[in-house]
């Protein structure tokens, strides 16, 4: 019996006039020469006796080279024996996964009433708060959360504490006290804690900016762009827009907060979709270092929900920006387009995920009352509660969530070429769309695949022409700023 | 690697692993750049249509892709195991000239009379 070889799951593509293959099981990107490309072609109709493939090519290439090329393809996993053909990773219960990031929802109250907000709008998962006391986290709960993070992250040298809301700065008193407490406790434990916070900028003051700078707090501002766009959804409860109020505050922050880059996070809806214009406004006119976009999370039937045509237009505009990114990268310059940088970083690292994100693994959310949630977006959702900071994490429930969100349970994803990076997508989005955290986010597959494809081409082109561009990625830490 | 280029970090890691595990073909070509070659301890089959290695990845012979008796050709071309097979470096460089693909042409391997 002769052993046959076959192609592994891969996506072949060309960029900068060269041939490449993205090997799906390992997420490695390899460049192909003519010989290796011809060898791969030889297997395209299914498992083959390798000798036949070599024989067929023996006129074009020397046999020694062919054997050598085949060996390389085999060792990198591009061709494989049928019994070694990659399968989908199986779910294995992870014992206590170390906690690296804890997101404290210091309040679930907000001074804006953005019409699309998942916390308050039609899509809320949360139980109505019963009293004011349950809407703001108190110091004791925040401090206990810090202890919880230090204890569950004991193995890790670097931890992240993120403040989130509602509007985070409505509870600035607790934020500042917690940062101070966490610094002291981290020092005692010989660890570093990074702090970050997301805010709508309406409450920024000189004092707060001073505090953020002094403590190296990474700041992300939720903002939708120029005045007409910002004021469409991001309004006060009386309907008044927030742009005029936040602009001077953001400018002051950008001018003075020099210790960490300040990023902007834009929510895209069917009506706010002007990606390029928003990007230019936020970077050039306002001066943000990084801008990231995320489509709104909502059920399919709301007015602002993005439908298929919307995803297409989003992809066109992202592609537009990606060309600019490429031009700048080829000159060795950086452009603060977070969606692109994050995706390039994943491709560069060769990420293969069986879970879409760290929710319930390295990341947990804490509600104002100290309830533990899968992530910050599930805070206060009774169905997704995982215990309480005081009584501990409900491990059994966590395992159940992990099992349900594992890639092995998302049959639709098993043949998808981006599964190692998307892995079915955000669980909160899935909950809102399909009522099930373990459901693949099939409504945006085309968009995700389209976008990762653009990024893969861009990646290969930069790697071919200016490989040194990625040196900075080797140092860059994944800054997990919650969306 | 000569025919493939490791582009992203994951591919580079795989390449390093290949080298660390003893790139059999690199070994056959002698020390690169005049440096020392790392000792070559094959573990498990690398090229599947080659007859098997000395040991499988568990250190035994049970998992080899071919019976251990048939590792003749590989011992010659990719390992340096001169006691058992004609040595191609000095005395019998053409021993396998007529054998292009081992799985198919192994009958063409020449007889050697030392
Ligand atoms: S793009 Fe769609 S099919 Fe592919 S992994 Fe993501 S959710 Fe699954
Ligand atoms: S991707 Fe979704 S589920 Fe995961 S942490 Fe972010 S919001 Fe939570």
């Amino acid at each position: 019996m002769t052993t046959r070889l076959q192609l592994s799951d891969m996506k072949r593509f060309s960029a900068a006039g060269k041939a490449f293959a993205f090997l799906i099981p390992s997420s490695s990107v390899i460049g192909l020469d003519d010989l290796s490309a011809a060898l791969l072609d030889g297997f395209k109709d299914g498992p083959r006796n390798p000798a036949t493939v070599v024989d067929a090519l023996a006129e074009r290439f020397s046999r020694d080279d062919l054997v050598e090329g085949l060996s390389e393809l085999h060792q990198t996993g591009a061709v494989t024996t049928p019994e070694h053909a990659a399968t989908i990773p199986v779910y294995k219960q992870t014992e206590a996964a170390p906690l690296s990031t804890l997101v404290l929802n210091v309040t679930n109250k907000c001074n804006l009433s953005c019409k699309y907000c998942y916390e308050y709008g039609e899509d809320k998962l949360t139980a109505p708060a019963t009293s004011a006391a349950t809407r703001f986290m108190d110091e004791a709960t925040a401090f206990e959360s810090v202890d919880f993070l230090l204890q569950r992250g004991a193995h890790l040298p670097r931890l992240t504490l993120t403040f989130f809301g509602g509007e985070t700065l409505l509870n600035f008193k607790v934020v500042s006290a917690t940062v101070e407490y966490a610094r002291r406790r981290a020092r005692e434990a010989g660890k570093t804690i990074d702090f970050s916070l997301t805010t709508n900028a309406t409450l920024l003051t000189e004092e707060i900016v001073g505090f953020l700078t002094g403590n190296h707090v990474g700041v992300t501002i939720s903002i939708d762009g120029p005045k007409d766009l910002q004021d469409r959804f991001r309004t006060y409860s009386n309907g008044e827009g927030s742009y005029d109020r936040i602009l001077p505050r953001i400018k002051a922050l950008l001018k003075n907060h020099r210790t960490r880059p300040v990023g902007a996070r834009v929510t895209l809806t069917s009506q706010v979709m002007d990606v390029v214009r928003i990007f230019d406004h936020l970077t050039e006119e306002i001066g943000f270092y990084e801008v990231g976009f995320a489509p709104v999370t909502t059920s399919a039937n709301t007015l602002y929900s993005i439908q298929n045509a919307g995803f297409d237009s989003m992809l066109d505009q992202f592609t537009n920006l990606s060309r600019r990114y490429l031009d700048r990268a080829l000159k060795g310059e950086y452009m603060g387009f977070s969606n692109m940088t994050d995706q390039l970083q994943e491709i560069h690292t060769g990420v293969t995920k069986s879970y879409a994100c760290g929710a319930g693994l390295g990341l947990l959310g804490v509600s104002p009352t100290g309830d533990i949630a899968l992530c910050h977006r599930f805070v206060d959702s009774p169905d997704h509660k995982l215990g309480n900071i005081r009584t501990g994490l409900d491990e059994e429930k966590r395992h159940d969530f992990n099992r349900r969100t594992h890639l092995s349970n998302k049959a639709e994803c098993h043949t998808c070429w981006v599964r190692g990076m998307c892995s079915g997508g955000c669980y909160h989005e899935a909950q809102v769309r399909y009522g099930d955290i373990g459901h693949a986010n099939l409504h945006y597959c085309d968009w995700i695949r389209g976008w990762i494809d653009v990024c893969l081409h861009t990646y290969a082109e930069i790697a071919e022409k200016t490989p040194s561009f990625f040196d900075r990625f080797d140092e860059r830490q994944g800054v997990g700023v919650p969306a | 690697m000569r025919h493939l280029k490791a582009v992203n970090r994951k591919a580079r890691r795989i390449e390093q692993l290949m080298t660390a595990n003893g790139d059999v073909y690199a070994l056959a070509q002698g020390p690169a750049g005049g440096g020392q070659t790392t000792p070559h301890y094959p573990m498990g089959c690398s090229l599947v249509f080659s007859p098997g290695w000395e040991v499988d990845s568990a250190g035994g012979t049970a998992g080899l892709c071919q019976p251990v008796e048939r590792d003749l050709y590989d011992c010659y071309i990719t390992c340096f195991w001169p006691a058992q097979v004609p040595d191609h470096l000095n005395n019998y460089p053409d021993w396998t000239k007529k054998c292009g693909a081992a799985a198919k042409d192994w009958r063409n391997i020449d007889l050697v009379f030392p």
Side-chain angles (χ1 to χ4, degrees):
Chain A
M1 196 200 78
T2 27
T3 309
R4 289 147 79 87
L5 290 179
Q6 65 181 40
L7 295 181
S8 300
D9 273 355
M10 70 173 73
K11 182 185 169 65
R12 288 174 66 180
F13 64 102
S14 52
K18 296 256 166 69
F20 294 89
F22 172 75
L23 307 182
I24 298 166
S26 62
S27 283
S28 40
V29 180
I30 52 176
L32 307 171
D33 68 358
D34 288 348
L35 176 139
S36 48
L39 281 167
L40 289 180
D41 289 340
F43 290 98
K44 70 175 186 312
D45 296 325
R48 274 265 181 303
N49 177 348
T52 327
V53 174
V54 168
D55 283 347
L57 292 168
E59 298 206 330
R60 280 176 63 197
F61 306 98
S62 91
R63 279 184 185 271
D64 283 353
D65 283 351
L66 286 166
V67 169
E68 185 184 45
L70 199 49
S71 161
E72 289 179 11
L73 288 169
H74 185 248
Q75 292 192 60
T76 47
V79 297
T80 175
T81 49
E83 63 272 22
H84 287 109
T87 45
I88 298 299
V90 285
Y91 168 73
K92 272 205 258 32
Q93 189 166 308
T94 36
E95 285 321 318
L99 183 65
S100 70
T101 304
L102 196 61
V103 186
L104 304 189
N105 279 47
V106 290
T107 174
N108 52 29
K109 217 169 141 45
C110 190
N111 57 340
L112 291 185
S113 309
C114 306
K115 294 174 187 136
Y116 49 59
C117 181
Y118 56 83
E119 181 105 26
Y120 291 104
E122 307 163 36
D123 297 311
K124 69 171 185 295
L125 306 172
T126 54
T130 40
S131 70
T134 62
R135 308 205 66 181
F136 288 93
M137 185 179 280
D138 59 23
E139 244 177 53
T141 308
F143 288 8
E144 275 168 286
S145 304
V146 171
D147 296 341
F148 177 84
L149 173 64
L150 284 165
Q151 177 221 330
R152 299 208 52 116
H155 296 322
L156 304 172
R158 206 179 184 107
L159 301 167
T160 303
L161 191 64
T162 297
F163 301 98
F164 204 72
E167 172 41 39
T168 318
L169 295 181
L170 282 173
N171 202 359
F172 179 66
K173 229 177 79 223
V174 167
V175 171
S176 56
T178 309
V179 167
E180 208 168 292
Y181 176 75
R183 278 181 169 283
R184 179 161 63 73
R185 294 280 288 114
R187 221 178 13 249
E188 289 162 9
K191 293 185 185 305
T192 313
I193 296 198
D194 290 323
F195 300 100
S196 62
L197 152 169
T198 302
T199 172
N200 62 24
T202 51
L203 300 171
L204 282 173
T205 61
E206 208 173 297
E207 179 210 344
I208 293 178
V209 172
F211 167 84
L212 297 173
T213 310
N215 288 286
H216 298 237
V217 180
V219 181
T220 302
I221 308 276
S222 306
I223 180 174
D224 283 357
K227 184 171 164 57
D228 56 323
L229 300 179
Q230 167 81 4
D231 290 350
R232 194 161 311 166
F233 285 104
R234 304 192 64 86
T235 53
Y236 287 91
S237 53
N238 63 6
E240 193 192 315
S242 51
Y243 186 85
D244 292 337
R245 182 174 168 91
I246 63 172
L247 187 64
R249 292 181 159 74
I250 293 175
K251 289 208 155 146
L253 173 74
L254 289 170
K255 186 160 152 256
N256 298 310
H257 191 7
R258 287 279 165 222
T259 54
R260 291 274 293 273
V262 178
R265 186 186 177 288
V266 179
T267 302
L268 295 173
T269 55
S270 57
Q271 289 142 67
V272 175
M273 194 42 111
D274 236 335
V275 179
V276 177
R277 177 158 76 99
I278 297 170
F279 184 85
D280 288 343
H281 180 82
L282 295 182
T283 50
E284 279 153 32
E285 279 164 58
I286 301 191
F288 279 105
Y289 178 74
E290 292 257 0
V291 179
F293 298 86
V296 68
T297 294
T298 174
S299 43
N301 45 17
T302 54
L303 262 181
Y304 45 83
S305 140
I306 299 175
Q307 312 288 343
N308 287 346
F311 277 120
D312 289 349
S313 133
M314 202 160 101
L315 183 57
D316 284 349
Q317 299 191 60
F318 268 50
T319 307
N320 247 328
L321 281 186
S322 78
R323 291 211 187 94
R324 244 203 262 169
Y325 193 105
L326 173 68
D327 290 343
R328 300 268 294 266
L330 294 183
K331 287 186 220 137
E333 293 165 17
Y334 180 72
M335 174 166 143
F337 178 26
S338 312
N339 301 72
M340 182 109 225
T341 306
D342 290 347
Q343 193 55 52
L344 292 179
Q345 170 100 51
E346 288 218 347
I347 295 173
H348 180 63
T349 313
V351 169
T352 48
K353 292 187 288 205
S354 313
Y355 292 102
C357 66
L361 294 163
L363 178 147
L364 291 168
V366 185
S367 81
T369 53
D371 284 345
I372 303 172
L374 205 48
C375 81
H376 54 288
R377 281 201 177 191
F378 288 100
V379 158
D380 280 333
S381 157
D383 292 343
H384 302 93
K385 179 176 161 177
L386 285 170
N388 187 283
I389 232 62
R390 292 182 185 88
T391 53
L393 184 67
D394 183 339
E395 292 287 358
E396 222 156 278
K397 209 160 169 200
R398 183 171 75 89
H399 288 145
D400 181 53
F401 281 144
N402 291 163
R403 189 185 48 73
R404 281 164 58 199
T405 50
H406 190 265
L407 181 63
S408 56
N409 283 322
K410 301 177 183 174
E412 298 91 341
C413 303
H414 292 181
T415 51
C416 174
W417 76 270
V418 304
R419 60 179 179 266
M421 290 177 276
C422 166
S423 211
C426 171
Y427 315 145
H428 176 260
E429 174 98 15
Q431 176 69 39
V432 171
R433 273 275 168 154
Y434 306 98
D436 174 9
I437 56 166
H439 203 292
N441 282 294
L442 301 173
H443 55 288
Y444 62 39
C445 296
D446 288 346
W447 141 251
I448 292 287
R449 279 191 289 254
W451 173 235
I452 296 184
D453 189 57
V454 169
C455 293
L456 186 60
H457 281 80
T458 311
Y459 178 79
E461 182 153 358
I462 300 175
E464 188 60 36
K465 295 180 175 162
T466 323
S468 60
F469 179 78
F470 294 115
D471 292 351
R472 77 194 75 203
F473 282 45
D474 291 331
E475 287 119 49
R476 181 178 188 261
Q477 273 225 319
V479 266
V481 182
Chain B
M1 292 191 296
R2 274 186 55 216
H3 300 283
L4 304 177
K5 180 172 148 199
V7 181
N8 66 351
R9 204 153 68 191
K10 180 59 92 47
R12 289 205 297 266
R13 262 178 52 203
I14 291 176
E15 188 181 16
Q16 275 161 14
L17 256 162
M18 284 165 61
T19 322
N21 288 346
D23 178 339
V24 291
Y25 289 93
L27 186 92
Q29 279 144 24
Q36 273 250 277
T37 28
T38 44
H40 172 50
Y41 303 119
M43 289 288 274
C45 294
S46 165
L47 241 197
V48 181
F49 65 92
S50 311
W53 294 120
E54 297 88 322
V55 289
D56 61 23
S57 54
T61 58
L64 298 181
C65 70
Q66 305 256 0
V68 67
E69 293 75 21
R70 290 183 58 180
D71 64 3
L72 189 73
Y73 182 64
D74 249 29
C75 298
Y76 163 76
I77 189 81
T78 60
C79 309
F80 192 66
W81 207 8
Q84 282 81 353
V85 298
D87 100 76
H88 70 298
L89 291 180
N90 301 312
N91 299 316
Y92 306 100
D94 296 335
W95 185 52
T96 59
K97 192 99 192 229
K98 293 182 217 140
C99 175
K104 193 165 134 278
D105 306 329
W106 60 271
R107 287 184 192 80
N108 299 340
I109 296 179
D110 273 343
L111 285 179
V112 163
F113 301 97

